[in-house]
Amino acid sequence: MVELTAPVRSVVGDRTAKELGARLGVHTVEDLLRHYPRRYYERGELTDLSSLRPGEQVTIQATVVSASGHRIRPKLHKLDVVVTDGRSKLTLTFFNKHWLADRLPAGTEALFAGKVEVFRGRRSLTNPEVHVGDADSFAGALQPVYPASAKLASWQVEKSIATVLDLVDAVPDPLPDAVREHRGLLPLSAALRLVHRPGDRSDVRRAQQRLRFDEAFLLQVVLARRRAEAAGLPATPRVPADDGLVSAFDARLPFRLTDGQHEVAGEIAADLARTRPMHRLLQGEVGSGKTVVALRAMLTVVDSGGQAALLAPTEVLAQQHHRSVTAMLGPLAERGLLGGSEEGTRVVLLTGSQSTAARRRSLLDVASGEAGIVIGTHALIQDAVDFFDLGLVVVDEQHRFGVEQRDALRAKATVPPHVLVMTATPIPRTVAMTVFGDLDVSTLTELPAGRTPITSHLVPVGEKPHFLDRAWERIREEVAAGHQAYVVCPRIGQVDGSDADGEEPADGPDLQVVPDPETEPALRPAVAVLEVAPSLIEGPLAGLRVEMLHGRMPSEAKDDVMSRFASGAVDVLVATTVIEVGVDVPNATAMVVLDADRFGVSQLHQLRGRVGRGEAPGLCLLVTDTEAGTPARDRLAAVAATQDGFELSRVDLETRREGDVLGATQSGRRSSLRLLSVLRDEPVIVAAREDATALVDRDPHLFANAELRHAVDALLADERSDYLEKA
Ligand code: ADP
Ligand code: MG
């Protein structure tokens, strides 16, 4: 008998095996059994053709209306088959397949698989695969539709699965019987059989219920174990000194903390005072004042004799944090310097591109404990960095740091430090419970008073080209009024023929829409900083002080441009998303995002958070040449219409495939979540979390359940570099 771990090559042909592996991430026999149908068609049930999106790889069921062919060149025959769902029509174009006309007489119901294209404003499929079911195979049963590829149609995938379906009984069941019975779920073998070969809709429902629960349960067991492990760690309690840095800092603050900031500060203070390490996620809109709260936590630790590290995802951000923390602390950050405060501390910067001398000085201050606050990038987690007494690690924009990196930093302390991760991307509750399930969550919901609203407008240059001129005029007006502006481009552009992405952030689970080469339509290259900046200088922004900022510049140059922009010596900064997070120049009031459709919803929201940080209202212009009515255009309209980050993160998540919610799915890789929707399946996640927590409380090492233990190990091995890491 074939083993579950056997390669698919042992059951299907080479060509099919190759396609299954490369395109669908199906490598083993078990993967094949776990490749579930995306949907099911009943006889006579036709696909809503109006729902097809350009660029999508689809399998549709439709009825043939007509078929007509003619020879357009001596060796080229073209056959147009018009199909319908009873309401709208779709044209299928076949080249050199004239014989198909006989197989597709009007009235035939068939499956067609191909990529949706737009030709002269009409949607069509070119050379789709065709499957005319024989009358019997359809009778009474449901026709499964599998995730397929351009070269391997759904029904071919189905045939491959049929060859291994008998093996379902051999698949080990990781779910404890007690849990399965308590939740009224099917045995695994039955669920697997029914998901592929359902008799009716209720079979589908019961099978999916069981498989979905498994996905949630495994993940929650992993998270419950991580929580249990963390709870068992020792930590040094940190409390602020009377009349120490925290009170001196509070006295210096030019504003009052909001109620929300007070509340969160209280939660953090309580965590820090405990004998086990804090593991807290602090989420809040851009500008909601997270950094101030985090800084107070850092000072608490310094007050108690320890050190705090602040980790930023990029050099630009680390430098920015260093500048703003130093400024906020004023004399409190100048211990040992003339005029500095005696009870103060020192703030040092540690980045990969510092000069050797500067780096050595920083390293010494960190090792001696002279520096209470250390700000840096990944360079901080390198071996050479020794802390005197690391008590707290603050990670800014968590999605760029994985658990492993957190662990590495933690290993730098003799006693595990407290950990606070900050994110400006609001996360719906169920996502937080899944992806960030090992963290406690605090949320800042209000913006500090006096914050001016940002007005956002769509600039549809496709329909109204002159709107772009108007956008540049607005920038000139802002500058004339003494303000500054950003122009954001999706790309850096060509230098010496190279167009690598440089330091442009590779995004994590909750930002950017990652275009899938399989399904996204081919687009012209997005506009680039290196091309846009010169054309603005010579054209609409002539006479203004325009400069560039992007990830491929040397870091001194970046720092130089940023500080000149901050001081007002630059009017307009043409940049990539390097300015996405943390950049804080209150005098910048306007932003033009070019090819805005190339950015994700949350990312645009982050970007526009760079303006309106001062007294004057902010303006954000989203330039796009997408057509009205397309999903990309709808997303932009949503961004322009609301300022509510939670609302936007929902829009963002809903417009993606599920796998992308948890991590960029690389082609050929599979997420462990196939049926579970972290957005829609809240009750399942809650139930699974309850059961998983109870189980791990009783048996933290899963001694009593080898099958579950193996499944969890396999999940961890599989996903180690994927989304669990990004949490
Ligand atoms: P975040 O890190 O959440 O984006 P910051 O902590 O950087 O937000 O705060 C954004 C800006 O608002 C900073 O200039 C900060 O000094 C200011 N700020 C923070 N808290 C308050 C407050 N309670 N009242 C007024 N301004 C505040
Ligand atoms: Mg910030």
Side-chain angles (χ1 to χ4, degrees), residues 286-287 289-291 317 321 396-397 422 424 581-583 610 613:
V286 171
K290 297 182 296 295
T291 311
L317 254 184
H321 272 310
D396 191 11
E397 300 306 329
M422 303 195 286
V581 272
V583 170
R610 303 303 108 212
R613 295 173 82 82

Side-chain angles (χ1 to χ4, degrees), residues 491-536:
R491 274 195 321 132
I492 299 175
Q494 304 272 137
V495 194
D496 305 334
S498 80
D499 196 18
D501 272 349
E503 204 194 333
E504 278 180 294
D507 271 302
D510 41 5
L511 278 180
Q512 213 165 26
V513 172
V514 181
D516 178 347
E518 278 288 292
T519 59
E520 298 288 320
L523 299 166
R524 65 166 168 75
V527 299
V529 170
L530 295 176
E531 289 142 30
V532 168
S535 75
L536 288 177

Side-chain angles (χ1 to χ4, degrees), residues 73-86:
R73 284 206 300 273
K75 289 203 166 155
L76 191 60
H77 180 271
K78 179 165 177 276
L79 173 67
D80 281 326
V81 176
V82 178
V83 297
T84 183
D85 58 4

